Amino acid sequence: MAESRAAKRFSNTDQETNGLAEELGRGSFGIVYKGTIVINDSENILAVKKLDRVTEDSENEFKAEVDIIGRTHHKNLIRLIGFCNEGQHRLLAYEYMPNGTLAAALFVGAKPSWKQRTQMATGVAKGLLYLHEECTTQIIHCDIKPQNILLDDRYNARISDFGLAKLLRKNQSKTLTNIRGTKGYVAPEWFRSSQVTAKVDVYSFGVLLLEIITCRRSVDQNMEFTEEESPILVDWVWDCLAGGKVEIIVGNEAEALADRAALERLVKVGLWCVQEDVSVRPMMRTACLMMEGVIDVPVPPCPYNQISIKSQP
């Protein structure tokens, strides 16, 4: 897919962005506001992130990363409209998504339908595939979680928040970096080695996929659990699948059980993605094909099994 034109450079002094009064959310790198901008005599609503933790980066590095991310163009990615990089001012202006975060959709109020949830999961998977394999420069997001997935006016999933993203050259498959990400979604290899690959995103996606299926948080200490349940989502889902009780995973949801084969397929994909052994964890292209039913999905081993097995996706 062709990549879009570079993001527009804004000036902090020309008032191109204004009205940053309504706070939309807070992240590890700054606060996101709802704002407006006039482009070609047309007023546009934007989500504007004011960064407060990039001062250690050089100006050239910041501009280089913004330029690369600004050129990405995919229906399941938030588009960077523009940026400001003047003195201590760091602003990133993104498309505004009216339906909020995937976290709110899954964990607050009535849960989305099974059809909506499978579409959201597929959208995130395709967005990650684009970042990993279809960009001029490979991008490892490093912080895939429901708070960083936004929903557009049609509830399509859009990956956002590239504040932690690590950019790789085409001939580079690993990178040295400090631990990045959010507890509950961080791949185990972050803690064993400073070398990571795109499979750290695959792990986080696996956790996210299981959250989408169950509408349960990856780690939830606030819920009341029976003796057969666990506050650790991956553990509980694995136990249910191994025990042949996949219907429990979706709370006997009729719509999900109407296509039990598809449900079991997605559950198995999620568990393959969260394998502790990086070598048996699939790449995003394989994960997408498994989700679509293009290739068979074997029953995964226990995610924490370190023994290499022959049956690999």
Side-chain angles (χ1 to χ4, degrees), residues 68-81:
I68 292 172
I69 294 173
R71 291 178 184 274
T72 61
H73 182 65
H74 189 275
K75 66 179 181 179
N76 295 115
L77 301 182
I78 290 293
R79 188 163 70 92
L80 180 66
I81 305 298

Side-chain angles (χ1 to χ4, degrees), residues 120-126 128 144-145 185 199-212 269-270 273-274 284 287-288 291:
M120 292 170 184
T122 299
V124 178
K126 290 183 176 179
L128 280 175
I144 292 296
K145 59 183 179 180
Y185 304 89
K199 284 192 174 182
V200 297
D201 281 350
V202 175
Y203 183 93
S204 301
F205 171 74
V207 176
L208 179 71
L209 177 56
L210 297 180
E211 289 185 317
I212 292 173
V269 172
C273 289
V274 296
M284 280 310 307
C288 287
M291 291 173 67

Side-chain angles (χ1 to χ4, degrees), residues 132 140 185-192 195-207 268-287 290 300-301 303-309 311-313:
H132 291 178
I140 304 177
Y185 304 89
V186 177
E189 58 264 32
W190 280 111
F191 302 98
R192 295 195 297 263
Q195 285 195 330
V196 297
T197 69
K199 284 192 174 182
V200 297
D201 281 350
V202 175
Y203 183 93
S204 301
F205 171 74
V207 176
K268 288 189 289 185
V269 172
L271 290 171
W272 272 115
C273 289
V274 296
Q275 292 293 309
E276 186 172 355
D277 186 344
V278 180
S279 68
V280 301
R281 201 182 301 159
M283 299 296 286
M284 280 310 307
R285 183 172 298 280
T286 302
M290 291 194 297
Y304 311 111
N305 185 358
Q306 293 296 306
I307 300 175
S308 178
I309 61 174
S311 177
Q312 297 180 19

Side-chain angles (χ1 to χ4, degrees), residues 23-72:
E23 183 177 320
L24 297 176
R26 291 173 179 255
S28 57
F29 280 76
I31 303 175
V32 181
Y33 297 93
K34 185 177 181 180
T36 60
I37 185 171
V38 176
I39 302 177
N40 297 328
D41 297 324
S42 176
E43 188 173 82
N44 299 267
I45 300 176
L46 300 176
V48 181
K49 176 179 288 187
K50 297 184 70 172
L51 303 181
D52 57 11
R53 291 184 57 190
V54 295
T55 54
E56 71 248 23
D57 295 336
S58 70
E59 181 175 345
N60 289 337
E61 182 179 355
F62 176 80
K63 287 192 292 184
E65 296 199 5
V66 165
D67 181 62
I68 292 172
I69 294 173
R71 291 178 184 274
T72 61

